Amino acid sequence: MTLLADAAAGVLAAARTTVPPESTQQALGYPSLFLLVLIGALVPVVPTGALVSSAAVVAFHQTAPFALALVFVTASLAAFCGDAALYWLGRRGLKSKNGSRWLEAIRARAPEERLAQAQEKLAGHGVAVLVLSRLVPAGRIPVMLACLMAKWPLRRFVRGNFPACLAWAVTYQLIGILGGSLFPEPWEGVLAAVLLTVLLSAAPGVWRRLQR
């Protein structure tokens, strides 16, 4: 029994030593979060909302006083840079005679029906539509394409997209904080936050199918 107890104690001690400290987690986590959200803004297949919520759960359980603030700044800045870069690439495609693969990728993710709705709302409400498009799942690309078709300059798009990225980061971070506060273990909160963001992302598509 003593040997077993000593062996178990040794395993636990080894496990504690293999878990990286918070400083190491932050040094690796924030650049990774920035890169993944940036890629997700450029290539809309990465679930960036789930990434931000998961990072918020981990930050909620850390002892660093500014962990949640750093997640917010990192996520919103990465989303802002990715949107600006994608819009700039889309404008280049519009000016080119042969178009561009970036512009074609934007058009492929904006069905005609949703593009028409985005154009109508953009004409009626202007910049405010950008904020809502970031909060509605799959709403960002149709509105971005509507801005491109309306020939908005990059400066105007960036000015309206800045509060949109801030609102988006706050929303998904609050989901992560909710998951982190409900469960004692970080992995449980991460799982809850991911499931919640997946349900929110799938809800508009399910609603449209039910209406049809």
Side-chain angles (χ1 to χ4, degrees):
M1 294 295 292
T2 304
L3 292 176
L4 290 175
D6 292 340
V11 170
L12 290 175
R16 293 191 190 100
T17 57
T18 55
V19 175
E22 287 189 7
S23 58
T24 305
Q25 294 176 15
Q26 293 171 2
L28 297 175
Y30 295 125
S32 300
L33 177 64
F34 182 90
L35 183 61
L36 289 173
V37 172
L38 180 67
I39 294 174
L42 288 169
V43 185
V45 293
V46 178
T48 52
L51 290 173
V52 176
S53 298
S54 301
V57 172
V58 176
F60 180 82
H61 286 279
Q62 289 182 344
T63 58
F66 301 109
L68 287 171
L70 287 174
V71 170
F72 168 73
V73 171
T74 303
S76 56
L77 182 60
F80 177 77
C81 293
D83 285 355
L86 184 59
Y87 191 80
W88 179 76
L89 291 169
R91 279 180 56 83
R92 286 193 61 186
L94 283 176
K95 295 178 181 179
S96 175
K97 294 181 179 180
N98 300 323
S100 70
R101 62 186 183 91
W102 291 101
L103 181 60
E104 292 303 320
I106 295 174
R107 284 176 173 166
R109 295 185 174 276
E112 291 296 330
E113 179 183 352
R114 302 201 64 186
L115 175 59
Q117 293 175 356
Q119 288 175 319
E120 181 181 354
K121 292 178 182 178
L122 191 66
H125 303 283
V127 173
V129 179
L130 285 173
V131 178
L132 294 176
S133 71
R134 257 290 180 182
L135 299 179
V136 175
R140 178 176 67 102
I141 296 300
V143 172
M144 181 181 290
L145 182 58
C147 293
L148 287 170
M149 302 302 292
K151 297 183 179 179
W152 278 25
L154 178 61
R155 181 178 299 179
R156 184 181 182 185
F157 175 80
V158 165
R159 190 166 56 246
N161 193 56
F162 180 70
C165 293
L166 295 180
W168 171 81
V170 166
T171 300
Y172 282 98
Q173 187 166 4
L174 287 176
I175 293 174
I177 293 174
L178 176 63
S181 61
L182 291 177
F183 300 96
E185 295 294 333
W187 70 267
E188 295 174 330
V190 168
L191 181 60
V194 170
L195 290 176
L196 184 56
T197 52
V198 169
L199 290 175
L200 290 175
S201 300
V206 174
W207 177 251
R208 284 194 297 269
R209 291 180 181 178
L210 290 175
Q211 285 182 323
R212 291 174 185 173

